[in-house]
C-alpha cells in the first residue's frame, strides 16, 4: 500500500529525537479541542491504526484502537463511541460479522468500513448491513476526515 499524508505547515521546526516528537505530540494533544467525538478504529494493520490515530487526534477526536474484531466488540461493549472505523479482513472475527453484531447492539452508531482488499460485493454487503460509508485503502486522510465530519457534524459539513 502507498499512503500520502498531507500535514499542515507549522511555524516551528519539527524536533528530531523521539522524545522531542513525543513532547510535540503531547503538546498538540493538550491544545486540541477533544469535544469533536470519540472514534473506535478496528484494524489489524498497526501502521494504519497509528496513522489514523495521529491524524484524528490532532484534529480533536478521542481515539481508541482495536487490533481485531473480538477486541473491537469488547471495546464497543464497554464504552461509548460516536463512530467506528472498521476493517473488513481481520483475524479472530471478520469485519462483516463485527458489523452485524454491532448493528444489533448499537443500531445508531455510524460505522465506516475501511478496507484495501475487499471486493466491491463486500462493500455492497456492508452497506446493506448498515454501514454508513465505505472507503477503499489507500485513502486520502482528508477524505476520511470529510466522511467523519459529515457523519458526526452534518450541519458543519453543509457549510463547507
Amino acid at each position: 500500500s502507498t499512503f500520502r499524508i498531507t500535514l499542515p505547515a507549522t511555524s516551528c521546526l519539527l524536533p528530531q529525537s523521539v522524545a522531542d516528537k513525543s513532547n510535540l505530540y503531547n503538546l498538540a494533544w493538550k491544545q486540541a479541542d477533544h469535544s469533536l467525538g470519540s472514534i473506535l478504529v478496528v484494524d489489524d494493520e498497526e501502521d494504519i491504526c497509528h496513522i489514523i490515530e495521529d491524524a484524528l487526534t490532532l484534529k480533536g477526536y478521542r481515539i481508541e484502537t482495536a487490533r481485531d474484531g473480538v477486541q473491537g466488540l469488547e471495546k464497543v461493549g464497554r464504552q461509548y463511541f460516536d463512530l467506528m472505523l472498521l476493517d473488513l479482513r481481520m483475524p479472530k472475527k471478520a469485519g462483516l460479522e463485527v458489523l452485524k453484531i454491532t448493528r444489533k447492539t448499537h443500531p445508531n452508531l455510524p460505522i465506516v468500513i475501511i478496507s484495501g482488499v475487499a471486493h466491491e460485493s463486500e462493500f455492497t454487503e456492508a452497506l446493506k448491513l448498515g454501514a454508513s460509508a465505505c472507503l477503499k485503502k489507500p485513502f486520502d486522510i482528508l477524505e476520511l476526515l470529510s466522511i467523519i465530519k459529515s457523519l458526526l457534524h452534518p450541519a458543519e459539513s453543509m457549510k463547507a
Side-chain angles (χ1 to χ4, degrees):
S1 297
T2 302
F3 297 94
R4 187 184 82 219
I5 301 173
T6 306
L7 301 173
T10 65
S11 60
C12 65
L13 295 174
L14 289 177
Q16 294 303 311
S17 75
V18 173
D20 287 343
K21 287 179 184 176
S22 177
N23 289 337
L24 179 65
Y25 183 81
N26 290 335
L27 178 63
W29 171 260
K30 289 176 186 172
Q31 292 176 344
D33 173 13
H34 294 281
S35 62
L36 292 180
S38 60
I39 298 173
L40 175 61
V41 181
V42 185
D43 197 313
D44 61 320
E45 294 182 64
E46 191 173 341
D47 291 340
I48 297 289
C49 283
H50 286 307
I51 290 167
I52 292 172
E53 182 177 18
D54 289 350
L56 298 182
T57 297
L58 292 174
K59 284 295 184 182
Y61 294 96
R62 240 177 333 106
I63 306 299
E64 287 278 331
T65 61
R67 295 295 193 262
D68 60 59
V70 171
Q71 190 180 54
L73 287 171
E74 288 172 357
K75 286 192 175 196
V76 81
R78 280 197 316 260
Q79 67 190 87
Y80 174 83
F81 293 99
D82 294 300
L83 185 136
M84 178 190 284
L85 297 175
L86 177 64
D87 189 11
L88 287 183
R89 304 258 176 105
M90 293 181 296
K92 297 186 182 178
K93 192 167 291 289
L96 285 177
E97 187 63 25
V98 173
L99 177 61
K100 288 177 194 175
I101 294 167
T102 304
R103 271 292 147 252
K104 290 177 184 172
T105 60
H106 298 78
N108 298 319
L109 177 67
I111 300 174
V112 177
I113 301 299
I114 53 173
S115 184
V117 294
H119 299 266
E120 204 58 43
S121 61
E122 291 173 284
F123 284 136
T124 301
E125 180 67 17
L127 291 170
K128 285 180 185 176
L129 291 171
S132 305
C134 297
L135 194 54
K136 186 127 176 102
K137 296 176 189 173
F139 51 80
D140 187 314
I141 200 72
L142 294 176
E143 184 178 6
L144 176 62
L145 284 165
S146 176
I147 290 170
I148 291 170
K149 188 175 179 180
S150 72
L151 292 169
L152 296 184
H153 313 286
E156 291 177 30
S157 296
M158 296 179 86
K159 294 177 190 175

